[in-house]
Amino acid sequence: MPHDVLVAGETLIDFVPERAGSLEEVPGFERRPGGAPANVAVALARLAEPPLFWTRVGADPFGRYLERTLVDHGLPDQFVERDSGAKTTLAFVTHDETGEREFTFYRDGTADTRLEPGRVDDATLSDCEWVHAGGVTLSSGSAREATLDLLERAAAADCTVSFDPNLRSELWPDEGAFASVVGDALAYVDVCLATGTELAALGFDGDSPTAIARAAVERGPVHTAVVTRGAAGAVAVASADAPWPAATVEGPGFAVDVVDTTGAGDAFVAGAVAALRDGDDLEAAVAFANAVGARATTAAGGMTALPTRAEVAALLEAE
């Protein structure tokens, strides 16, 4: 069965704390499937047809658990690779009383750092309309070259390429290295979805989220920049080079009873990709993405809380 969206990147285990506090203080953790691209792929499967997902996990109990989880969510296993020579990445998440999160990664030579160039063939890319990737796999190992290779070939195949920088400072030697490598990736990107902090780290200046998004678009070749603002919603700017009408959009968030914000940003990304791929204009796509992200916060868990299209439609209609 052909698929017209491909998502690429890490799948890992998030250990989420029982309560707020530092790693030294938290008494226990709950295991959850994670990784931003994995969350995006599963969210797309919940909203529309399942995308292809290129990822790599260890041939260990955690890797087998993640493989089973992806399949259970409807993702095809064609590009889910098992690495017999590496472990699955682990990330310990901590948060303070305000919900601000920090990540501690166990990712030295793990499976997702060992993605290899060329594993997604040109024939597959020629069938795809859209390719999405994130910044974590750019941080180390052969996965950096593999991700850049995929983005370059996707752009050459006339796929719409979207990208989430997903800055995790622990994974980079410094902000300069992040800006340099991600800058190389942006040469192939059409749609960039990021926080204002991430875009600032990439050298885009502005006195407001809209100004920062406009700076990203003006530099090019990105033609659409979306700046996420959590509960406040998002802003987006599309240039005349975009396949949808040029626009500047400020989309407010939704008032919901928040239970857990884990994966909400990834849900937003999936909502934006799904809406723009379906032909929505930028304003409608931002509203839809905000609704997907908001709805994902109303239940516990990352993947388990991702909404269906009907649930998102109900939230939009209630506004």
Side-chain angles (χ1 to χ4, degrees):
M1 172 181 164
H3 296 263
D4 57 8
V5 178
L6 170 76
V7 179
E10 73 281 358
T11 310
L12 50 80
I13 298 290
D14 280 329
F15 283 97
V16 180
E18 294 176 348
R19 59 172 175 78
S22 66
L23 280 179
E24 297 96 326
E25 299 168 342
V26 173
F29 297 83
E30 178 184 354
R31 177 195 68 177
R32 293 182 186 171
N39 289 336
V40 170
V42 170
L44 285 169
R46 298 276 287 170
L47 292 170
E49 292 182 3
L52 291 171
F53 182 39
W54 179 36
T55 193
R56 193 176 180 101
V57 297
D60 54 22
F62 288 131
R64 292 193 294 273
Y65 162 69
L66 290 171
E67 286 183 272
R68 187 173 67 249
T69 299
L70 295 174
V71 171
D72 287 348
H73 282 289
L75 296 178
D77 63 1
Q78 179 180 353
F79 294 108
V80 178
E81 301 176 353
R82 182 183 297 181
D83 191 328
S84 60
K87 299 292 187 182
T88 299
T89 294
L90 309 179
F92 287 83
V93 186
T94 55
H95 60 85
D96 59 24
E97 298 297 342
T98 68
E100 188 68 26
R101 297 177 301 160
E102 292 186 0
F103 294 82
T104 299
F105 290 91
Y106 288 78
R107 194 173 173 265
D108 186 11
T110 51
D112 67 272
T113 72
R114 288 158 53 108
L115 288 168
E116 299 171 349
R119 296 301 290 266
V120 177
D121 56 276
D122 289 338
T124 295
L125 290 177
S126 69
D127 288 336
C128 287
E129 295 180 9
W130 197 295
V131 172
H132 175 79
V136 165
T137 50
L138 291 172
S139 63
S140 61
S142 61
R144 175 180 297 175
E145 181 186 356
T147 303
L148 290 171
D149 170 75
L150 176 72
L151 297 180
E152 181 178 13
R153 290 190 298 116
D158 290 327
C159 303
T160 296
V161 178
S162 60
F163 181 76
D164 170 12
N166 196 20
L167 174 58
R168 296 290 178 254
S169 297
E170 182 184 335
L171 300 179
W172 295 89
D174 52 53
E175 219 168 73
F178 169 79
S180 175
V181 176
V182 173
D184 291 341
L186 290 180
Y188 311 113
V189 171
D190 301 300
V191 181
C192 182
L193 306 110
T195 66
T197 298
E198 289 166 341
L199 290 179
L202 292 170
F204 300 112
D205 299 322
D207 56 6
S208 68
T210 300
I212 294 172
R214 188 171 293 114
V217 166
E218 288 173 351
R219 183 185 299 182
V222 171
H223 60 56
T224 303
V226 183
V227 181
T228 57
R229 301 188 297 164
V235 302
V237 175
S239 74
D241 294 329
W244 35 84
T248 297
V249 172
E250 296 188 14
F254 288 79
V256 295
D257 294 325
V258 176
V259 173
D260 184 359
T261 62
T262 304
D266 304 326
F268 175 95
V269 168
V273 170
L276 291 172
R277 174 192 157 278
D278 286 348
D280 288 358
D281 64 25
L282 192 60
E283 182 175 11
V286 169
F288 184 79
N290 279 332
V292 177
R295 186 63 177 77
T297 69
T298 62
M303 291 184 185
T304 55
L306 294 170
T308 64
R309 189 173 286 271
E311 291 168 336
V312 175
L315 180 58
L316 286 166
E317 290 170 4
E319 283 294 302

